[in-house]
Each structure stands twice: as structure tokens, then as C-alpha cells.
Amino acid sequence: MLKKQLIILCYDFPVRNKTAEANLLEFQLTVFKDIFEEIHIIPTATIKAKKIIAGHQHTLAHDFRVFKIKSIINIIKNLKVLVDDFRKIQWNNHFINTFIESLVSYIKGIHSYSFLEYYFFKKNINLDGLIVYSFWFNDYSLGALLLKKKYPNISVISGGHGYDLFEDRHKGGRIAFREKSISLINYVYVCSKEGLNYLQIKYPHYHQKFILLNTGIKRKKFKIKPSTDGIFRIISLSRTHPVKRIPYLLQKLKEIENHSKFEIEYFHIGGGIEFQSLKEYLNKLDFKKFKINLTGVISDEALEIFFKSTRIDAFL
């Protein structure tokens, strides 16, 4: 009887924690380990010489970034895929950028293709019934999908989140090879209803491939209570990244404060590249009546204590 095997393409899950990828993959692995007899984790980031803090019980690849000579041959063999994508680029102000992005995406995809083929044979992995799961729907998942054309018994699935899903977040409003990838993939597991609707509307012929995913949210054994002291309390919980538009929210809260007769207390839990600039912007806004709390990253235990001890009226 064949082993049930799973290949996971991720970014840097084994060497970083408390990231969106790490939190969700950690949850997913608790499910996968009961389904698959063998799990291989392939980080696409450089992890050599870094401390491994997760995924110890599974097989971990350390050499994804090592160049494979066969990549040159595979670049030539699959050149039609690149040419077809070039033809879809519109002639506008973003033409050069999108052209370069398409070329870079292709090279990264072929590198992934070459590494996976090398890895399958190095580890003697049986390709019949093999599932390749790409956490991100990106250039490296393209490599797995091109490999699927060569080995049709492989199934390829991918997650779909934000930047790797919405094409309008990219220069030129496109993601290279996106329609090609969707035509080849088995399923895209989308982490939001917004993302699901986006794909179903944009690619209606492939609607059966798009599935809404439970992103690891667990039902709590307690209920959060609303405020009773006349203060309206709001919370948001995410990384502090420009795509989350937290400065815009703070700006609107300031505008409301200037005209309101009631009080608001706002909490944002989470950190990231924008955290320091957010604190500076908050000082600049100089709230007088509303209380704004930027907590940064806190542990899961501290988060549970927060929800048990704090009254909340709205979750953004």
C-alpha cells in the first residue's frame, strides 16, 4: 500500500514564529499529521545556519536555494509558457515592470520545478497520489504546477491570502501566469469570503477549484461581553502592514473625535513593518478624548487573557 505523502512549500516557517504563515501552518500540521504518513517541508527562504524552531517531526529540506544546472534546460523546455504570458501584458505605463516581473516569476518557477523534481527522486518519493501544497499562491507554486504537467498523477493545491491573491495589489494590476496557474491547479484554498468571491467572479470557468478555508480560528469557551460604561470599545487584530490601512482608520477616528460627544477606546493588537511609524503618526494626531492602544505583538496566552478581561463592542 502506498504511503500518503505531502510536500509543503512555504517561506520560512521552520525558522520563524508568530508570523501569519507560522501560525496557520502550525495549526494545519496538527490536522495533516493524522492524514499523511510522511510530510516534507520545503522552505523557499534561506534557512541554512538558522535555528530550526518548528517542524522537527517532519522531513525538512535545507537546500532549496541551491542552483540546479538542470534549471537552464528546463527554462528552454518551457519557454512557450513564458512567451504566452508575455503576450498577455498590456502596453501601458507599467509594461516594463510587468514584463520584468513576468520574467523573474518564470525563472523562480523553473527553479522550483527543477528543485522539486530533483527532491522527489533524491528522497525516492512515489509520485502516484502525491500532494504538493504551496502555502502561498506565488512563483514557486507555478513550478509545482508546471511539474504537474509532466507528472499528471501529482495533485497541487495552494493557499490564497492577500497579496498573492488580489491582482490589483500588483503593479500593472496583474499577477504573472495567474490564469495559467489556475488552469493547472487542483484547488485554491482561500482564507476569506472576499478572496473567494474575487476568484469566482474573475475566473468563473474555474469556480469549482476555489474553496473557503477555515484559517485556524477556534471556537472559544467564553463569550466577550459588551461595554456597560458608555465607552464604545473597538479592536483590530492583524500585522501592521500598509495593506491593512491602519493609518487611515486612525485618521477617521480623529475626525470622529473632533465632532463626537461620546468616547471611543480602540485597541490594535499586532506588530510589523509599520508599527514604529504608526506610533509616530498616533502622537502626531494627538487624541484628546479617544483612547488609542497599540499593543504590538502579544502571546496567545496574553491574548486570551485580554479577551476574557476586556469588554469589546466591535471587531474590525
Side-chain angles (χ1 to χ4, degrees):
M1 189 173 178
L2 294 176
K3 282 184 179 180
K4 289 184 177 179
Q5 295 175 302
L6 175 68
I7 303 290
I8 299 177
L9 280 171
C10 58
Y11 181 62
D12 60 359
F13 163 69
V15 297
R16 288 186 67 195
N17 58 13
K18 302 304 179 184
T19 64
E21 179 185 77
N23 290 339
L24 183 50
L25 254 183
E26 187 176 357
F27 169 76
Q28 290 174 339
L29 281 167
T30 63
V31 178
F32 292 156
K33 68 181 177 62
D34 294 329
I35 300 172
F36 298 94
E37 298 169 70
E38 199 172 283
I39 297 174
H40 297 254
I41 300 174
I42 302 178
T44 59
T46 301
I47 66 167
K48 192 175 181 180
K50 292 183 179 179
K51 183 180 179 182
I52 305 300
I53 59 176
H56 297 90
Q57 66 272 46
H58 306 297
T59 304
L60 182 62
H62 294 79
D63 55 346
F64 178 84
R65 292 275 174 149
V66 177
F67 176 74
K68 298 288 180 285
I69 295 295
K70 198 171 181 182
S71 291
I72 299 173
I73 299 170
N74 289 330
I75 283 174
I76 297 169
K77 281 185 176 180
N78 292 275
L79 207 54
K80 184 179 182 299
V81 176
L82 177 62
V83 173
D84 288 345
D85 195 67
F86 280 162
R87 288 173 176 161
K88 295 178 182 179
I89 300 174
Q90 294 182 356
W91 187 264
N92 55 30
N93 293 337
H94 299 288
F95 176 81
I96 294 176
N97 284 333
T98 51
F99 183 90
I100 293 172
E101 283 179 8
S102 183
L103 180 60
V104 171
S105 179
Y106 177 71
I107 292 171
K108 290 167 73 175
I110 292 298
H111 174 78
S112 177
Y113 173 107
S114 305
F115 177 84
L116 287 172
E117 189 172 36
Y118 150 81
Y119 187 83
F120 293 162
F121 288 99
K122 175 186 174 184
K123 295 292 183 179
N124 197 28
I125 293 173
N126 192 309
L127 303 186
D128 289 331
L130 176 69
I131 295 177
V132 178
Y133 166 43
S134 180
F135 185 87
W136 303 102
F137 197 11
N138 60 10
D139 307 329
Y140 297 123
S141 63
L142 171 66
L145 292 165
L146 294 177
L147 198 61
K148 182 177 183 290
K149 287 179 65 181
K150 185 174 181 179
Y151 304 103
N153 290 338
I154 297 174
S155 294
V156 180
I157 61 177
S158 178
H161 310 87
Y163 187 75
D164 63 340
L165 189 64
F166 297 100
E167 296 177 44
D168 56 2
R169 296 185 185 180
H170 295 251
K171 288 182 179 179
R174 77 184 296 269
I175 297 176
F177 307 97
R178 183 42 43 103
E179 189 167 2
K180 180 69 175 178
S181 294
I182 289 175
S183 72
L184 294 172
I185 206 163
N186 292 85
Y187 297 104
V188 181
Y189 290 89
V190 190
C191 69
S192 69
K193 286 184 179 179
E194 180 188 10
L196 180 65
N197 292 337
Y198 173 82
L199 287 179
Q200 288 176 336
I201 292 169
K202 193 165 182 67
Y203 302 102
H205 297 303
Y206 301 106
H207 67 91
Q208 75 281 0
K209 294 188 175 190
F210 311 134
I211 299 172
L212 184 63
L213 174 74
N214 173 6
T215 55
I217 297 173
K218 301 176 184 177
R219 186 180 295 276
K220 298 296 183 183
K221 296 179 181 179
F222 60 90
K223 289 186 177 180
I224 297 170
K225 297 178 181 179
S227 302
T228 57
D229 57 0
I231 300 175
F232 190 74
R233 292 181 173 85
I234 305 169
I235 182 174
S236 56
L237 178 62
S238 73
R239 60 194 172 117
T240 51
H241 188 279
V243 74
K244 302 299 182 180
R245 303 186 71 190
I246 301 170
Y248 178 77
L249 175 60
L250 293 177
Q251 176 193 334
K252 292 303 173 183
L253 285 173
K254 183 61 181 178
E255 291 175 11
I256 294 171
E257 182 191 57
N258 293 336
H259 301 92
S260 73
K261 295 181 180 179
F262 55 88
E263 292 183 52
I264 288 179
E265 185 170 12
Y266 168 62
F267 301 87
H268 179 80
I269 299 176
I273 61 173
E274 203 178 48
F275 188 69
Q276 187 58 41
S277 62
L278 271 178
K279 291 198 295 183
E280 294 170 2
Y281 185 56
L282 178 59
N283 290 334
K284 183 179 176 182
L285 289 173
D286 192 25
F287 283 89
K288 301 296 184 185
K289 188 178 355 179
F290 292 176
K291 188 175 180 182
I292 311 297
N293 306 279
L294 302 176
T295 68
V297 177
I298 63 176
S299 67
D300 292 341
E301 294 76 14
L303 185 61
E304 184 164 343
I305 292 170
F306 173 86
F307 280 126
K308 285 181 176 179
S309 61
T310 308
R311 293 180 179 268
I312 299 295
D313 303 294
F315 189 101
L316 302 181

